[in-house]
DNA sequence: GGGAGAGACGTTTTT
DNA sequence: CGTCTCTCCC
C-alpha cells in the first residue's frame, strides 16, 4: 500500500506524512488521527528507501511501541518488520550498555527492581535522617535530573544534597546498578558531553509520539540524538497527565520557537468521538485557565450524537450494582464484551465491579497493577534466580543478606562493604572467605549465616541443571501449583521457551523485562477495567467512568500546598477526565453509536473512603457523604441532565 | 539483632 | 482501616 493512499493532498494529515521540513510539530487532540498520520509518515520514509535502522520512532509506553510496530507490519510497507518502535527508556538502556558508552560513563545500566531499593534506603538511612527522608531525597535527586535542573543557570546544590548524592552514587557504583530515574539522565549527560559520539548522528529520522508526556531530560535526549535528523513530534498539551513523572508539557508549546523554521501543524477533527462527547469535552477543558491556546475539538457530523448518560446512585454498592446491571443489559443486547471499557480511579471501585462481572460469567480483565513480585517469598526466589545466573549480582546479594531484618542488617553490611572497598574484593568472594575461616570481620555472623543458606540453595539449584537445561531450576524456584508464584512461573516458562536454555544471562534479561511489561492481547475479548491513566491511547464503543465524585475525580490536592500548585493539580485532573471521556468511539455504520456512562454515588462507607484516600464532604453515622464531581457540572449544557439510578 | 507498640500516612502512573 | 516506620527495650 502506498503511503498516500486515502490521504487527500492539502489536508493537515497529508502534510504530516509528507513534510520534508527538518522540524515538524503536530498538535493533535484526542481521536484526531495523529497515530494514523504518523504511520503514513513512516511508510513514506520506508517506501523512499530510507534504512529502517536510521529511523527512530519513539513512544512513551511499551504498549504504544508495540502498537506502532504491529500496525506498520499490517500496512505491508517494505522492510517495516525491521523497524522497531522503541521507548526512550529501552533505547537508553541499550545505548548505555555499549562498551564505549560504559567506559565513558563508568556506570552499569542495571536498573533496580522496585523491591531492591529497600536495602539501599536502609543503608543510606543511617546517615541521612531515616528511610522516609532518604526516600524524599532520592525523589529530589531523580526529579532534579528529570527536569535538568542542574543545567539551569544559578542552580546551587546544598551541602546536604551533595553529601547525599555522593553516598547514593557510591552505593550504586559499588553495587553496579542504577536507579530507574538515572537511566535517561545518564544518556543525556553522555550525549551532551560527547558531541562527537556516533549516537548523535545515528538517525536520519526521528518521530516522537505523546511528546507532552516527556520530561525535560527526555526531550533533551531527543534533541541530542537529532544532530543529523528530521524530527517530527506529535502531542497535545491538553492530554498531559504525567506531572508526577515530571513531564514538561511546555516543551511542546515552545518547540516551534526553539526549533528553527519548524512546520506547525495541527489536527482538530475528532474522528473518534460522537458529537455530544466532543461538545462535553470542549466545555470541560475550557475551564482550564492555564492553556496557552484555547483549542477546540471539531465534531464530525457523520459520527452522530452518541448516547450519554450520567447516573447518580444512593450508595457505592448501588453504583457498583448499577454498573454491573448496565453491562449485563448491554451484552444481552448484543454488545461485544471487548467493546466495553470501565474506568475507575481506584481499585476499591474497580475491583468489586471486576469481581461482580466474574461472578456473572462475563469475560473481564482487570488492569490494576498487581506485580508478579508482590509477595516477599517471590522476591526471594527471584533474587536467588539472579544470583544463580550471576554470583556477582551485588544488588541481589545485598537484598538476600538483609532480608527479614527491620534494618536490613545495615551495620554488619557496612563492615563487609568497607572491607570490599579497601581490599578491592567482591562481596561474594569475601563472604566465602569469612565462611571458610580465612578471614574475620567482626559482627557479621548473621550475615554469613544468611549467605551460607543462600549459597547452599544456589548450589542445589546448580545440581538440578541437567541435559534439558534450567527448566528444573524454574520448577524448583517457582513450583507448579503454588498460587503465589503462578504468574511468574508462567512468564518464566514462556521466556524459557523463546530462549536458548543454556544462555542464562539472556534468559534472565528477557524475564526481567517480561515482568515489567504489561501483557497486551491482540484480540480483545473481555470487558476491560482500568484507571484513567492506563486508558490513554485506546478507544472503546462503550466507556463507563465510575466514581465521578469530588475527592476522587478530581483528587483533593493536599491543603498545605501553595494555591498555584493546587490549581495546577486540579487542571491536570481535569485533563485526566478529558482523556477519559474522549475514549468513546462512534461507529454508527456498524451499529455502535458510541456510549458514555458516568456514574457516582451519594454515600460510601467511611472506611472505604479513608482507605481510598477520599476525604468526604461530611460524615454521617459511619457513612461518608459524597458530592458529584465538579467536572460533571462544568460540562454544563453540553451534557445530559443527571438521572437517579 | 530483633520484637513490641506507638504514631504517621495513604492515590493515580511510566521506565 | 491497614501498612509501614520509628523508637524503645531486652
Amino acid at each position: 500500500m502506498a503511503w498516500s493512499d486515502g490521504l487527500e493532498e492539502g489536508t493537515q494529515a497529508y502534510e504530516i506524512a509528507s513534510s520534508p521540513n527538518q522540524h515538524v510539530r503536530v498538535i493533535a487532540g484526542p481521536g484526531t488521527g495523529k497515530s494514523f498520520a504518523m504511520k503514513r509518515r513512516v511508510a513514506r520514509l520506508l517506501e523512499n528507501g530510507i534504512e529502517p535502522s536510521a529511523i527512530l520512532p519513539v513512544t512513551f509506553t511499551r504498549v504504544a511501541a508495540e502498537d506502532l510496530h504491529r500496525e506498520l507490519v499490517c500496512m505491508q510497507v517494505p522492510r517495516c518488520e525491521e523497524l522497531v518502535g522503541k521507548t526512550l527508556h529501552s533505547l537508553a538502556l541499550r545505548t548505555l550498555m555499549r562498551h564505549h558508552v560504559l567506559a565513558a560513563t563508568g556506570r552499569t545500566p542495571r536498573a533496580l527492581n522496585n523491591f531492591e531499593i529497600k536495602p539501599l534506603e536502609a543503608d543510606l538511612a543511617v546517615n541521612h535522617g531515616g528511610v522516609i527522608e532518604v526516600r524524599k531525597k532520592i525523589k529530589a535527586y531523580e526529579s532534579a535530573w528529570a527536569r535538568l535542573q542542574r543545567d539551569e543557570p544559578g542552580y546551587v546544590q546544598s551541602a546536604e544534597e551533595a553529601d547525599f548524592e555522593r553516598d547514593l552514587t557510591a552505593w550504586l557504583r559499588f553495587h553496579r546498578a542504577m536507579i530507574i530515574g538515572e537511566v535517561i539522565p545518564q544518556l543525556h549527560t553522555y550525549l551532551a558531553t560527547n558531541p562527537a559520539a556516533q549516537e548523535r548522528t545515528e538517525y536520519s529520522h526521528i518521530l516522537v509520539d505523546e511528546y507532552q508526556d516527556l520530561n525535560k531530560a527526555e526531550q533533551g535526549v531527543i534533541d541530542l540524538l537529532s544532530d543529523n535528523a528530521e524530527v517530527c513530534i506529535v502531542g497535545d498539551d491538553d492530554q498531559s497527565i504525567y506531572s508526577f513523572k515530571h513531564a514538561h508539557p511546555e516543551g511542546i508549546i515552545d518547540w516551534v520557537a526553539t526549533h528553527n523554521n519548524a512546520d506547525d501543524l495541527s489536527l482538530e477533527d475528532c474522528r473518534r468521538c460522537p458529537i455530544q462527547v466532543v461538545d462535553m469535552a470542549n466545555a470541560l477543558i475550557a475551564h482550564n485557565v492555564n492553556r496557552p491556546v484555547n483549542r477546540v475539538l471539531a465534531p464530525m457530523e457523520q459520527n452522530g450524537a452518541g448516547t450519554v448518560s450520567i447516573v447518580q446512585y444512593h450508595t457505592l454498592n448501588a453504583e457498583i450494582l448499577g454498573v454491573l446491571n448496565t453491562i449485563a443489559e448491554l451484552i444481552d443486547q448484543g454488545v461485544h464484551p471487548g467493546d466495553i471499557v470501565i474506568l475507575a480511579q481506584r481499585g476499591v471501585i474497580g475491583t468489586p465491579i471486576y469481581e461482580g462481572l466474574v461472578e456473572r460469567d462475563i469475560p473481564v480483565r482487570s488492569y490494576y497493577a498487581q506485580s508478579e513480585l508482590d509477595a516477599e517469598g517471590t522476591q526471594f526466589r527471584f533474587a536467588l534466580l539472579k544470583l544463580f545466573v550471576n554470583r556477582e549480582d551485588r544488588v541481589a546479594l545485598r537484598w538476600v543478606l538483609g532480608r527479614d531484618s527491620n534494618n536490613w542488617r545495615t551495620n554488619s553490611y557496612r563492615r563487609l562493604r568497607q572491607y570490599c572497598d579497601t581490599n578491592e574484593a567482591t562481596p561474594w568472594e569475601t563472604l566465602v572467605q569469612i565462611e571458610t575461616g580465612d578471614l574475620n570481620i567482626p559482627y557479621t555472623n548473621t550475615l554469613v549465616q544468611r549467605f551460607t543458606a543462600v549459597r547452599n540453595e544456589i548450589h542445589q539449584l546448580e545440581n538440578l541443571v541437567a541435559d534439558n537445561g534450567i527448566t528444573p531450576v524454574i520448577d524448583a524456584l517457582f513450583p507448579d501449583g503454588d498460587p503465589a508464584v503462578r504468574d511468574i512461573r508462567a512468564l518464566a516458562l514462556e521466556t524459557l521457551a523463546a530462549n536458548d536454555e543454556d544462555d542464562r544471562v539472556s534468559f534472565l534479561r528477557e524475564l526481567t523485562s517480561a515482568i515489567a511489561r504489561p501483557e497486551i492481547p491482540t484480540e480483545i475479548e473481555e470487558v476491560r477495567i482500568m484507571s484513567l491513566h492506563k486508558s490513554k491511547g485506546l478507544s472503546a464503543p462503550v466507556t463507563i467512568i465510575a466514581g465521578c465524585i469530588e475527592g476522587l475525580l478530581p483528587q483533593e490536592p493536599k491543603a498545605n500546598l501553595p494555591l498555584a500548585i493546587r490549581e495546577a493539580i486540579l487542571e491536570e485532573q481535569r485533563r485526566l477526565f478529558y482523556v477519559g471521556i474522549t475514549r468513546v468511539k462512534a461507529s454508527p455504520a456498524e451499529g455502535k453509536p458510541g456510549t458514555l456512562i458516568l456514574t457516582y454515588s451519594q454515600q460510601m462507607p467511611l472506611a472505604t473512603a479513608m482507605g481510598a484516600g477520599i476525604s468526604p464532604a461530611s460524615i454521617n453515622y459511619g457513612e461518608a457523604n459524597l458530592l458529584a464531581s465538579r467536572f460533571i457540572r462544568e460540562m454544563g449544557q453540553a451534557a445530559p441532565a443527571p438521572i437517579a439510578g
Side-chain angles (χ1 to χ4, degrees):
Chain A
M1 174 165 97
W3 67 270
S4 56
D5 274 6
L7 276 184
E8 209 176 306
E9 225 168 303
T11 61
Q12 293 274 298
Y14 184 91
E15 281 299 310
I16 293 165
S18 65
S19 172
N21 195 320
Q22 182 91 9
H23 301 299
V24 179
R25 178 186 76 173
V26 183
I27 304 255
T32 52
K34 68 183 163 68
S35 309
F36 174 80
M38 284 272 266
K39 270 168 234 153
R40 293 309 183 92
R41 188 178 171 86
V42 175
R44 175 178 65 87
L45 298 174
L46 289 170
E47 281 171 21
N48 288 348
I50 308 284
E51 276 299 307
S53 62
I55 304 175
L56 175 66
V58 186
T59 54
F60 174 56
T61 63
R62 288 164 191 271
V63 176
E66 285 165 39
D67 205 46
L68 178 69
H69 180 70
R70 194 172 54 230
E71 296 205 26
L72 283 171
V73 173
C74 286
M75 282 176 72
Q76 304 198 322
V77 174
R79 302 189 68 184
C80 63
E81 61 289 337
E82 292 173 51
L83 190 73
V84 185
K86 293 188 183 87
T87 63
L88 256 186
H89 188 83
S90 70
L91 176 79
L93 279 178
R94 207 167 324 168
T95 310
L96 291 171
M97 212 89 79
R98 292 178 177 174
H99 290 296
H100 64 276
V101 184
L102 274 174
T105 62
R107 293 289 303 274
T108 318
R110 186 263 197 227
L112 261 61
N113 274 112
N114 275 341
F115 70 88
E116 288 170 332
I117 209 154
K118 294 218 160 212
L120 161 69
E121 289 168 352
D123 284 342
L124 293 176
V126 183
N127 289 320
H128 297 281
V131 171
I132 290 172
E133 202 52 36
V134 166
R135 225 166 264 166
K136 276 190 201 150
K137 286 175 174 168
I138 293 177
K139 255 200 158 151
Y141 170 79
E142 287 184 311
S143 129
W145 276 118
R147 293 180 290 153
L148 293 184
Q149 223 171 50
R150 288 164 168 74
D151 296 352
E152 284 168 15
Y155 172 76
V156 188
Q157 201 182 31
S158 73
E160 201 188 331
E161 283 168 337
D163 265 6
F164 178 76
E165 188 174 322
R166 194 198 52 234
D167 287 356
L168 174 65
T169 46
W171 195 100
L172 291 166
R173 279 171 197 277
F174 178 79
H175 290 89
R176 315 266 154 89
M178 269 183 200
I179 47 180
I180 289 169
E182 285 182 306
V183 175
I184 304 278
Q186 283 287 333
L187 178 60
H188 186 276
T189 306
Y190 167 73
L191 293 171
T193 52
N194 292 279
Q198 66 182 76
E199 284 79 12
R200 291 185 50 156
T201 53
E202 209 168 317
Y203 300 104
S204 64
H205 295 272
I206 298 179
L207 302 98
V208 189
D209 201 2
E210 306 280 13
Y211 190 85
Q212 80 285 345
D213 287 336
L214 304 186
N215 60 39
K216 262 192 164 174
E218 291 162 334
Q219 292 173 359
V221 164
I222 300 290
D223 283 342
L224 291 166
L225 287 172
S226 54
D227 282 357
N228 216 5
E230 290 177 17
V231 184
C232 173
I233 66 154
V234 182
D236 176 15
D237 49 297
D238 282 334
Q239 292 183 76
S240 161
I241 54 176
Y242 283 100
S243 65
F244 64 84
K245 202 206 74 165
H246 317 292
H248 181 64
E250 295 82 1
I252 193 167
I253 305 302
D254 303 339
W255 205 78
V256 174
T258 51
H259 295 76
N260 286 338
N261 302 317
D263 269 359
D264 184 6
L265 305 173
S266 65
L267 295 170
E268 275 121 27
D269 291 341
C270 182
R271 296 153 176 277
R272 178 195 296 151
C273 307
I275 294 172
Q276 189 172 19
V277 171
V278 173
D279 291 344
M280 287 162 65
N282 282 328
L284 175 77
I285 205 68
H287 284 83
N288 274 4
V289 293
N290 294 316
R291 290 170 85 202
V293 186
N294 292 324
R295 273 175 289 102
V296 176
L297 272 181
M300 300 199 65
E301 208 58 50
Q302 63 266 37
N303 281 355
T307 52
V308 179
S309 48
I310 302 177
V311 193
Q312 182 184 44
Y313 295 89
H314 186 53
T315 64
L316 176 63
N317 276 343
E319 181 180 353
I320 289 162
L321 197 63
V323 170
L324 288 171
N325 289 338
T326 305
I327 293 169
E329 274 166 37
L330 285 167
I331 290 176
D332 277 348
Q333 289 162 18
V335 174
H336 188 268
D339 282 349
I340 303 174
V341 163
I342 303 162
L343 306 179
Q345 204 54 350
R346 288 287 187 286
V348 281
I349 297 174
T351 307
I353 297 176
Y354 169 79
E355 285 164 357
L357 289 172
V358 171
E359 212 167 287
R360 292 176 189 219
D361 287 324
I362 295 171
V364 60
R365 187 182 158 84
S366 167
Y367 289 73
Y368 288 97
Q370 40 177 327
S371 167
E372 276 80 7
L373 295 173
D374 271 355
E376 204 267 354
T378 314
Q379 295 172 356
F380 178 56
R381 293 171 208 203
F382 194 46
L384 280 181
L385 181 64
K386 289 185 182 189
L387 286 167
F388 168 75
V389 171
N390 175 18
R391 310 290 190 273
E392 293 303 325
D393 188 322
R394 299 184 180 191
V395 173
L397 182 61
R398 172 70 191 93
W399 191 88
V400 296
L401 292 176
R403 190 172 90 98
D404 288 341
S405 160
N406 57 8
N407 70 348
W408 293 85
R409 305 193 173 86
T410 49
N411 287 329
S412 23
Y413 188 77
R414 194 182 56 240
R415 291 164 182 275
L416 173 69
R417 189 177 144 195
Q418 236 155 35
Y419 177 87
C420 292
D421 271 336
T422 39
N423 297 284
E424 288 187 30
T426 78
W428 183 282
E429 68 188 29
T430 307
L431 285 162
V432 170
Q433 282 182 0
I434 306 177
E435 209 183 16
T436 55
D438 294 339
L439 179 71
N440 180 35
I441 302 179
Y443 302 107
T444 52
N445 286 341
T446 320
L447 223 51
V448 177
Q449 275 169 28
R450 289 297 166 143
F451 175 70
T452 306
V454 165
R455 216 213 41 215
N456 286 340
E457 294 231 28
I458 290 172
H459 199 67
Q460 278 174 23
L461 291 177
E462 211 60 73
N463 286 339
L464 289 174
V465 179
D467 297 340
N468 53 350
I470 60 172
T471 309
V473 175
I474 303 303
D475 283 333
L477 285 172
F478 312 117
D480 197 9
D482 180 348
V485 298
R486 199 191 59 212
D487 293 344
I488 196 169
R489 175 184 166 81
L491 272 180
L493 291 177
E494 231 171 79
T495 312
L496 209 53
N499 271 276
D500 176 3
E501 285 244 0
D502 293 324
D503 189 349
R504 295 180 191 182
V505 176
S506 87
F507 160 70
L508 185 64
R509 190 180 54 231
E510 292 305 313
L511 178 61
T512 311
S513 80
I515 286 171
R517 175 171 49 230
E519 229 177 295
I520 35 153
T522 39
E523 288 295 304
I524 295 141
E525 296 294 335
E526 317 101 332
V527 177
R528 288 167 289 175
I529 305 186
M530 63 186 78
S531 68
L532 280 87
H533 283 91
K534 281 230 173 80
S535 75
K536 196 168 192 180
L538 65 81
S539 62
V542 177
T543 303
I544 302 172
I545 306 182
C548 301
I549 51 169
E550 282 293 296
L552 187 55
L553 258 176
Q555 165 77 31
E556 191 78 45
K558 281 192 192 111
N560 58 4
L561 292 169
L563 183 65
I565 307 272
R566 295 210 308 270
E567 279 176 353
I569 293 174
L570 180 64
E571 293 209 348
E572 179 167 287
Q573 293 279 306
R574 196 176 276 116
R575 292 193 292 269
L576 190 61
F577 199 69
Y578 177 78
V579 167
I581 61 177
T582 53
R583 298 308 95 196
V584 189
K585 185 181 170 63
S587 325
E590 295 165 44
K592 299 171 183 177
T595 304
L596 175 66
I597 303 170
L598 307 175
T599 69
Y600 55 103
S601 51
Q602 292 175 291
Q603 280 192 338
M604 69 167 71
L606 184 60
T608 310
M610 295 303 280
I614 303 161
S615 37
S618 62
I619 299 159
N620 186 14
Y621 295 104
E623 291 288 322
N625 291 330
L626 309 167
L627 300 174
S629 165
R630 72 188 71 187
F631 298 152
I632 288 177
R633 188 176 67 242
E634 288 174 358
M635 295 184 295
Q637 294 303 308
I643 55 170

